[in-house]
Amino acid sequence: MQAEATRPGAIEAMARAARVASRTLAQSPTAIRDKALWAAASALRETRTDLLDANAKDLEAFTGTPAFRDRLTLTPERIEAMAAGLEDMADLPDPVGRILADWSRPNGLKIRRVATPVGVLGVIYESRPNVGADAAGLCIKSGNAVILRGGSESFHSARAIHAAMAAGLRAAGLPEEAVQIAPGTDRRYVAEMLAAAGLIDLIIPRGGRSLVERVQNEARVPVLAHAEGLCHTYIHAAADPKMARSIIANAKMRRPGICGATETLLIDAAIAPSLLPLIVEDLKELGCDFRADDRARAIVPDLKPATPQDFATEWLDATLSVATVDGVDSALEHIARYGSGHTEAIITSDETVATRFLNGTDSAVVMWNASTQFCDGGEFGFGAEIGIATGRIHARGPVGLEQLTTFRYEVLGSGQIRP
Amino acid sequence: MQAEATRPGAIEAMARAARVASRTLAQSPTAIRDKALWAAASALRETRTDLLDANAKDLEAFTGTPAFRDRLTLTPERIEAMAAGLEDMADLPDPVGRILADWSRPNGLKIRRVATPVGVLGVIYESRPNVGADAAGLCIKSGNAVILRGGSESFHSARAIHAAMAAGLRAAGLPEEAVQIAPGTDRRYVAEMLAAAGLIDLIIPRGGRSLVERVQNEARVPVLAHAEGLCHTYIHAAADPKMARSIIANAKMRRPGICGATETLLIDAAIAPSLLPLIVEDLKELGCDFRADDRARAIVPDLKPATPQDFATEWLDATLSVATVDGVDSALEHIARYGSGHTEAIITSDETVATRFLNGTDSAVVMWNASTQFCDGGEFGFGAEIGIATGRIHARGPVGLEQLTTFRYEVLGSGQIRP
């Protein structure tokens, strides 16, 4: 299957068709949308050979790193996980139609705020072809139409996955235009999606920093994204030392490459002399490297020195920045200066200090006595997550089904007129 | 007081100062923010002479229409209304800190979604100087910092009102940078606000269509706005005729110039012969003119003919477009084609049809057996409204205090680590 020659205006036409399809989807019963998910899961399993053949075509042309190659690769297990993921979504509660609020007015009007799909979403992703299935599934479940644009390296795989999603829609009697895929690999399709204000309602980029920043800088369409997860864990003087050691090891080293990994340890000067050496030992054993400020290095001399730039660095690797602070306010100042609005955690047994910390940062997620690695839709109990957002409106933190909805007001009267 | 010479970068500096102030405001107790509102109200009353002098200066230089002049004019009564409005806001519940959701996870983590201020808002307005006080009051109440930019014609009045707001902040011990005003009338300040992505979190334009469309087209910052209120009232065949007549007269003619005024009457062919002539009589008596389709004109011959462009026109005047339809689906098609996403109403006694209508349009507000003129924050019981939004994310319909908040997640643990 060749990529088509680039067609100017293709995205606009797709978005208009998506808008029409979105209205059908928005009014479809929960059971119909769930049927589409079940049918798409079956289609993924039944077309496994086609999926693997398409993937082989992508892999044959691929010339990048082994880590990137691994992300591109589809296996029978990964196909099964995609299918099972869609079936799990079907089991989740329908976010559409929830009554978010309702009240009566003195004149007898009854007013309700009711959850509705956002409308037409755009998902721009790289590398991992299964993002196409996950994102399409979440959109169908939440009544949204979606235009997918995957990475060029996985174009054939993405098209084959899309075909299975389309088969699922057809089986449920839903319009195929509810899930569309950009017709080729030309970067202009991304530019057209980003410019499609009024046609696409929300764009979610899934990928590395340069993709996300490009989207955030160029989009005229609202974007839900995070460019950086520069997360902090602050060990306060009244932290339980055993808990602190356990949490920081997990927050840094469980999976250092995820956005919720802690990048900087803030440790109170009062507790650092006794606790920092133990933490350094624990983390060294796990293969972690350090960049530490002068006061930390006075306690553990063989740590590499940290520059201010280091504190502004999201390592996404087995490296931990260490800054010594003097109480919760100085920890909050450091976070305000260097944080990316993602996730910040405090370890302490002092509830007053914890409350001050929770209230004192404007990050999307704040934690007390837990690992920043919990910043994840599955861990939050959302059942599914399309990404993590650090913007300030509509949705922040893990974006699950409910965050793919907006609302309308329904005003129910008996003939009232306004004086 | 002269407008200052235009200072490049002034908006960016103000936004950075606003961000710092917003953190103090976000953590301030409800009582302190309410104190600022009470003190600002007092300051407005105490500086009445200064306000009227500043307004006189604006009016002396003004060369526009009488209607525009009236909007610009401050009187003792309007100043009192501004002050009373701020005091009313102080009495409203604090939207900051509401627990929007909370739940526990199997591993014992407790998770809460907590309302927080959005952060730094920008309000760009025209004509009526009191918008500055209303908007600043709503922002203070909801813990947001704000940068105001009023119309050039009311610059001196806006500055005097801002001075009273700043006095209120000072009296409560809050930072004055929580409410700032653009330093002059140069249009570049608007351009800088619109470009201030990451510095200003949300912009709310208040004014005519050309201002709103400019903001929507140019802003890199998220915008809450409506450009058009092309509202429809659909009289279904099973409408109670008396209710229908009463509602349509109010929906069109109570105040034809507001965004919630009905611009187009959709009437079922089945009921038109008996009901349309009565409606036309009622509305003619109120001074209303018409643009009607052929089937309506066959029933009431002296109505002017409607062009398709008329159905896409927001009259904001005593003119009503009339289209004859054949049942709820054709009414919904007309709305999908011509509507602006604002407010649509159905008059009927048939609950099944009403439900289909309420579910069948993606407008921000849908009504059953009520006048579209109820689309208003005060009428909804919000106590205050900063504007009406027809976008698809964050907030739609009347934007009150709750919609000036976003949320964060608080994760409360006892040492949990992620497996």
Side-chain angles (χ1 to χ4, degrees):
Chain A
M1 182 187 2
Q2 294 278 31
E4 301 179 22
T6 303
R7 292 189 278 127
I11 294 296
E12 179 175 335
M14 290 168 69
R16 293 191 186 284
R19 177 71 71 203
V20 174
S22 77
R23 292 184 172 129
T24 303
L25 210 64
Q27 297 174 62
S28 60
T30 310
I32 298 294
R33 280 175 277 128
D34 289 344
K35 182 174 180 182
L37 295 173
W38 281 94
S42 297
L44 284 171
R45 291 186 180 107
E46 284 155 22
T47 61
R48 172 179 324 164
T49 314
D50 297 332
L51 293 171
L52 293 170
D53 286 349
N55 192 241
K57 195 177 278 188
D58 287 327
L59 291 174
E60 200 182 304
F62 180 70
T63 57
T65 66
F68 196 163
R69 187 182 190 87
D70 177 66
R71 289 198 295 275
L72 282 184
T73 302
L74 286 177
T75 63
E77 291 75 25
R78 288 178 175 181
I79 292 170
E80 177 54 34
M82 261 195 281
L86 292 177
E87 289 168 342
D88 289 345
M89 281 178 219
D91 286 343
L92 292 172
D94 188 354
V96 176
R98 286 172 296 139
I99 312 272
L100 305 175
D102 76 284
W103 64 99
S104 295
R105 296 294 297 145
N107 60 11
L109 286 179
K110 295 191 193 329
I111 306 182
R112 298 197 290 233
R113 190 183 294 134
V114 181
T116 66
V118 167
V120 177
L121 271 50
V123 179
I124 300 171
Y125 56 107
E126 295 178 321
S127 315
R128 297 189 299 121
N130 55 288
V131 171
D134 297 345
L138 286 165
C139 289
I140 291 170
K141 179 71 186 186
S142 54
N144 291 290
V146 63
I147 297 172
L148 304 169
R149 198 281 185 178
S152 327
E153 300 83 5
S154 50
F155 178 71
H156 297 96
S157 312
R159 289 284 292 245
I161 289 168
H162 168 260
M165 301 306 301
L169 290 166
R170 275 196 309 272
L174 289 170
E176 283 188 53
E177 294 82 4
V179 178
Q180 300 177 72
I181 187 162
T185 57
D186 194 323
R187 284 170 67 91
R188 82 177 292 158
Y189 291 128
V190 173
E192 286 179 18
M193 288 174 74
L194 300 181
L199 297 174
I200 297 177
D201 300 315
L202 191 60
I203 281 179
I204 298 172
R206 292 284 302 277
R209 187 166 174 172
S210 90
L211 170 70
V212 174
E213 288 186 342
R214 176 192 174 191
V215 168
Q216 288 177 326
N217 290 340
E218 288 182 31
R220 305 305 328 285
V221 174
V223 175
L224 281 190
H226 70 278
E228 262 203 320
L230 212 164
C231 305
H232 299 79
T233 296
Y234 166 45
I235 297 176
H236 175 250
D240 173 85
K242 197 165 159 203
M243 184 191 293
R245 289 171 70 181
S246 164
I247 286 179
I248 189 64
N250 184 270
K252 176 76 254 182
M253 293 302 294
R254 174 189 166 273
R255 287 180 59 190
I258 67 172
C259 59
T262 283
E263 304 294 355
T264 299
L265 164 64
L266 304 173
I267 184 163
D268 262 340
I271 203 176
S274 55
L275 190 49
L276 185 59
L278 299 172
I279 288 173
V280 168
E281 276 305 305
D282 295 338
L283 286 166
K284 270 188 173 164
E285 231 169 290
L286 295 168
C288 189
D289 194 15
F290 299 86
R291 299 287 183 279
D293 68 2
D294 290 347
R295 288 200 279 173
R297 295 174 64 235
I299 296 166
V300 186
D302 60 343
L303 299 177
K304 295 193 185 78
T307 64
Q309 187 52 39
D310 289 335
F311 292 120
T313 300
E314 185 189 16
W315 300 109
L316 289 175
D317 208 341
T319 301
L320 181 66
S321 299
V322 182
T324 314
V325 295
D326 304 287
V328 65
D329 287 348
S330 64
L332 289 169
E333 273 169 38
H334 182 111
I335 291 169
R337 186 166 173 197
Y338 292 110
S340 63
H342 197 290
T343 303
E344 328 296 347
I346 182 170
I347 319 298
T348 184
S349 57
D350 184 326
E351 182 170 3
T352 304
V353 168
T355 303
R356 191 177 179 86
F357 184 85
L358 295 178
N359 287 326
T361 163
D362 41 30
S363 291
V365 180
V366 288
M367 300 189 174
W368 178 18
N369 289 347
S371 167
T372 56
Q373 299 242 350
F374 279 115
C375 184
D376 170 86
E379 290 295 330
F380 273 34
F382 292 171
E385 177 201 293
I386 201 167
I388 294 180
T390 53
R392 297 200 66 89
I393 63 162
H394 187 73
R396 316 182 69 213
V399 178
L401 284 174
E402 290 187 11
Q403 289 73 46
L404 297 184
T405 62
T406 181
F407 61 81
R408 66 161 176 255
Y409 289 101
E410 295 181 357
V411 177
L412 312 176
S414 51
Q416 287 87 345
I417 57 173
R418 189 175 174 189
Chain B
M1 182 187 1
Q2 295 278 30
E4 303 180 21
T6 304
R7 291 188 278 127
I11 294 296
E12 179 175 335
M14 291 168 68
R16 292 190 187 285
R19 177 72 71 202
V20 173
S22 78
R23 292 187 171 127
T24 303
L25 209 64
Q27 296 174 63
S28 60
T30 310
I32 298 294
R33 279 175 278 129
D34 289 343
K35 182 174 179 183
L37 295 173
W38 281 95
S42 296
L44 284 170
R45 291 186 181 107
E46 283 155 22
T47 61
R48 175 180 321 165
T49 314
D50 297 333
L51 293 171
L52 293 170
D53 286 350
N55 192 240
K57 194 176 279 188
D58 286 327
L59 291 174
E60 202 183 303
F62 180 70
T63 57
T65 67
F68 197 164
R69 187 182 190 88
D70 177 65
R71 289 199 294 275
L72 284 184
T73 302
L74 285 177
T75 63
E77 291 75 23
R78 288 179 175 182
I79 292 170
E80 177 54 33
M82 261 195 282
L86 293 178
E87 289 168 342
D88 290 346
M89 281 179 219
D91 286 343
L92 293 173
D94 188 354
V96 177
R98 287 171 297 139
I99 312 273
L100 305 174
D102 74 285
W103 65 98
S104 296
R105 297 294 298 145
N107 59 11
L109 286 179
K110 296 190 193 334
I111 305 182
R112 298 197 290 234
R113 191 183 292 133
V114 181
T116 67
V118 167
V120 176
L121 270 50
V123 179
I124 300 171
Y125 56 107
E126 295 178 323
S127 314
R128 297 188 299 119
N130 54 288
V131 171
D134 296 347
L138 286 165
C139 289
I140 291 170
K141 179 71 187 187
S142 56
N144 290 291
V146 64
I147 296 173
L148 302 170
R149 197 281 185 179
S152 326
E153 299 84 3
S154 51
F155 179 71
H156 298 97
S157 312
R159 289 285 292 246
I161 289 170
H162 169 260
M165 301 306 301
L169 291 167
R170 275 196 309 272
L174 290 171
E176 285 189 52
E177 294 82 3
V179 177
Q180 300 177 70
I181 187 162
T185 57
D186 193 325
R187 283 170 67 91
R188 82 176 292 158
Y189 293 128
V190 173
E192 285 179 19
M193 288 175 74
L194 300 180
L199 297 173
I200 296 176
D201 300 314
L202 191 59
I203 282 179
I204 299 172
R206 292 283 303 276
R209 189 168 173 168
S210 89
L211 170 70
V212 174
E213 287 185 342
R214 177 192 173 192
V215 168
Q216 287 175 327
N217 290 340
E218 289 183 30
R220 303 305 328 287
V221 174
V223 176
L224 281 190
H226 71 277
E228 264 202 319
L230 211 165
C231 305
H232 299 79
T233 296
Y234 166 45
I235 296 177
H236 174 250
D240 174 85
K242 197 164 159 205
M243 183 191 293
R245 290 170 69 180
S246 164
I247 287 179
I248 188 65
N250 183 269
K252 175 76 256 182
M253 293 301 293
R254 173 189 167 272
R255 288 180 57 190
I258 66 174
C259 59
T262 282
E263 303 296 355
T264 299
L265 165 64
L266 303 173
I267 184 162
D268 261 341
I271 202 178
S274 55
L275 190 48
L276 185 59
L278 300 172
I279 288 173
V280 168
E281 278 302 305
D282 295 339
L283 286 166
K284 271 188 172 165
E285 230 170 291
L286 296 169
C288 189
D289 194 14
F290 299 86
R291 298 286 184 279
D293 68 2
D294 291 347
R295 288 199 280 173
R297 296 174 63 236
I299 297 167
V300 186
D302 60 343
L303 300 178
K304 294 193 184 80
T307 65
Q309 186 52 39
D310 289 335
F311 292 120
T313 300
E314 184 188 17
W315 300 109
L316 288 176
D317 207 343
T319 302
L320 180 67
S321 299
V322 181
T324 315
V325 296
D326 304 287
V328 64
D329 287 347
S330 63
L332 290 168
E333 272 169 37
H334 182 110
I335 291 170
R337 185 164 174 198
Y338 292 110
S340 63
H342 197 291
T343 302
E344 327 297 345
I346 182 170
I347 319 298
T348 184
S349 57
D350 184 328
E351 182 170 2
T352 305
V353 168
T355 303
R356 192 176 177 84
F357 184 86
L358 295 177
N359 287 325
T361 162
D362 40 32
S363 291
V365 181
V366 288
M367 299 188 173
W368 178 18
N369 289 346
S371 167
T372 56
Q373 300 242 350
F374 280 116
C375 184
D376 170 85
E379 291 295 331
F380 273 34
F382 292 172
E385 176 202 292
I386 201 168
I388 294 181
T390 53
R392 299 199 66 89
I393 62 162
H394 186 74
R396 314 182 70 213
V399 178
L401 284 173
E402 290 184 7
Q403 289 73 47
L404 298 183
T405 61
T406 181
F407 61 81
R408 65 162 176 256
Y409 289 101
E410 296 181 355
V411 177
L412 312 176
S414 50
Q416 285 86 345
I417 57 174
R418 189 175 175 189

